[in-house]
Amino acid sequence: MLHYYRKGNGATIVFIHGFLSTNRVFDKILPNLLNKYDCILLDLPGHGQSPYEGEKTMYDYTEKVIQVLAYLNINDATWIGHSMGGYITMAAVEKYPQYVKRAAFVYSSPTADSTKEKEQRNQHVETIKTEGLEAFIKQRIPAYFAFNGNEQDIVEAYNHAKQTTIEGAIAATYAMKGRPDQVTMINKATIPLLFIEGTKDLLEKPFHTSSPQVIKYTTETSHMGLLDDPVQFLEKLQMWLGKTY
C-alpha cells in the first residue's frame, strides 16, 4: 500500500502530488486546512516513501490511491491533484466516481500529450537512462518554476525529486505520455471540479470548457504555485472548497 500520513478533522481531502515530488510538497498550505478537513497525503509509487510496484498507466496509479481510501473506509473524498496528481485524479473521476465527491486539478490540464510532447517524454527517459536521474532532475526542476524560482523553493523541489527512484521516474513518464485526452470527460462530469492555472506555467496547456460544474481560477505563478505563492494558492483553493461544500 502507498505510504501516507493523515492529519486534521472534518471532511476528507486526499492530496496527490506530482511527478518528481512527495506528499510534503503541500506542507506550506496544510496548516491552514487542518481545522476543517481530514487531510490524507500520499506518496505515489516510486516517489517519496512508496515503492514502485509495476504501475504502467494513470489508472494503475489511481487504483493505488483508492486502495488507501478503501483501507481507511473512505468513499466520498475531495481529491486535489497537482500536475501528474491531477491526471491521476482525472482517471478517478472517469473510472471510479463513487470515490470522488469533488476534485481540484492544480496546474494540471486534461489535454493529452501532443506528438511533440510524447517525443519529449521519450527523450526524458533516454536522459534518465544515459545521464542518470540526478542529471534529469537538474534539467527539469528549473522549468517547473519558469526558470525564475525562489532559491529556497527550488532547493525544496530538488529535495523532493531526489526521493524518486529511477524505475518510478521512468514508469511515471511513460504513464503521462500514454494518458488519454480527458477534456470531453471533464465537460460531462456531474460533480464540482476546479482547475487552478498559473499565468507563468510553462508545462500545462489551457483548455476550453462550458461546463457549469467547472470553476477556473488563475494564480500569478509558475507550475509550482503552491510553493511560489502559497498564500495566493490557498486563497483560490479555500474559495472553491467553501463554494462547493
Side-chain angles (χ1 to χ4, degrees):
M1 191 164 64
L2 297 180
H3 172 263
Y4 70 92
Y5 74 96
R6 187 178 189 181
K7 283 186 173 184
N9 295 284
T12 301
I13 298 177
V14 56
F15 291 85
I16 308 170
H17 67 78
F19 180 54
L20 299 178
S21 193
T22 75
N23 58 13
R24 305 313 297 249
V25 75
F26 299 102
D27 280 0
K28 287 187 177 182
I29 67 167
L30 193 63
N32 293 281
L33 298 171
L34 297 180
N35 62 334
K36 286 188 177 181
Y37 301 103
D38 167 27
C39 299
I40 300 169
L41 301 100
L42 307 160
D43 279 336
L44 292 174
H47 293 69
Q49 298 183 54
S50 291
Y52 172 66
E53 296 181 326
E55 295 82 9
K56 294 181 178 180
T57 70
M58 286 300 150
Y59 303 105
D60 294 337
Y61 288 90
T62 301
E63 287 170 4
K64 287 301 181 78
V65 175
I66 289 172
Q67 186 180 65
V68 174
L69 296 181
Y71 172 76
L72 297 173
N73 294 314
I74 295 168
N75 58 14
D76 62 347
T78 297
W79 291 47
I80 298 176
H82 174 232
S83 193
M84 176 180 164
Y87 308 153
I88 293 167
T89 300
M90 291 173 207
V93 173
E94 178 193 359
K95 294 289 187 181
Y96 305 99
Q98 67 271 30
Y99 286 94
V100 188
K101 178 180 179 181
R102 55 185 174 174
F105 312 100
V106 178
Y107 313 111
S108 185
S109 173
T111 60
D113 276 3
S114 65
T115 299
K116 180 180 179 180
E117 288 166 335
K118 289 180 179 181
E119 291 172 355
Q120 291 173 339
R121 302 277 190 200
N122 290 336
Q123 291 169 5
H124 293 167
V125 170
E126 188 63 22
T127 298
I128 294 169
K129 289 180 176 179
T130 59
E131 300 180 34
L133 181 57
E134 187 170 351
F136 173 68
I137 289 170
K138 288 181 178 179
Q139 293 175 22
R140 192 66 179 159
I141 294 299
Y144 287 3
F145 292 91
F147 301 100
N148 192 34
N150 174 280
E151 184 176 352
Q152 185 176 350
D153 292 339
I154 292 173
V155 169
E156 180 178 344
Y158 276 129
N159 289 336
H160 292 308
K162 289 175 182 177
Q163 298 178 57
T164 309
T165 65
I166 292 174
E167 296 82 4
I170 291 174
T173 301
Y174 281 138
M176 289 187 288
K177 172 189 170 184
R179 75 187 189 281
D181 191 280
Q182 296 281 31
V183 174
T184 299
M185 184 278 294
I186 289 295
N187 284 327
K188 291 181 178 180
T190 58
I191 60 172
L193 303 177
L194 168 68
F195 285 84
I196 296 181
E197 299 175 342
T199 58
K200 303 172 188 175
D201 190 342
L202 303 179
L203 304 181
E204 296 295 340
K205 296 175 291 189
F207 74 101
H208 174 72
T209 180
S210 57
S211 169
Q213 295 290 349
V214 176
I215 291 176
K216 280 190 177 189
Y217 291 142
T218 300
T219 57
E220 300 295 322
T221 67
S222 72
H223 189 69
M224 301 299 290
L226 61 174
L227 296 182
D228 280 349
D229 193 336
V231 173
Q232 185 182 172
F233 173 82
L234 187 63
E235 178 187 4
K236 304 298 185 184
L237 180 61
Q238 288 181 315
M239 192 183 308
W240 176 74
L241 289 171
K243 281 183 177 181
T244 58
Y245 181 74

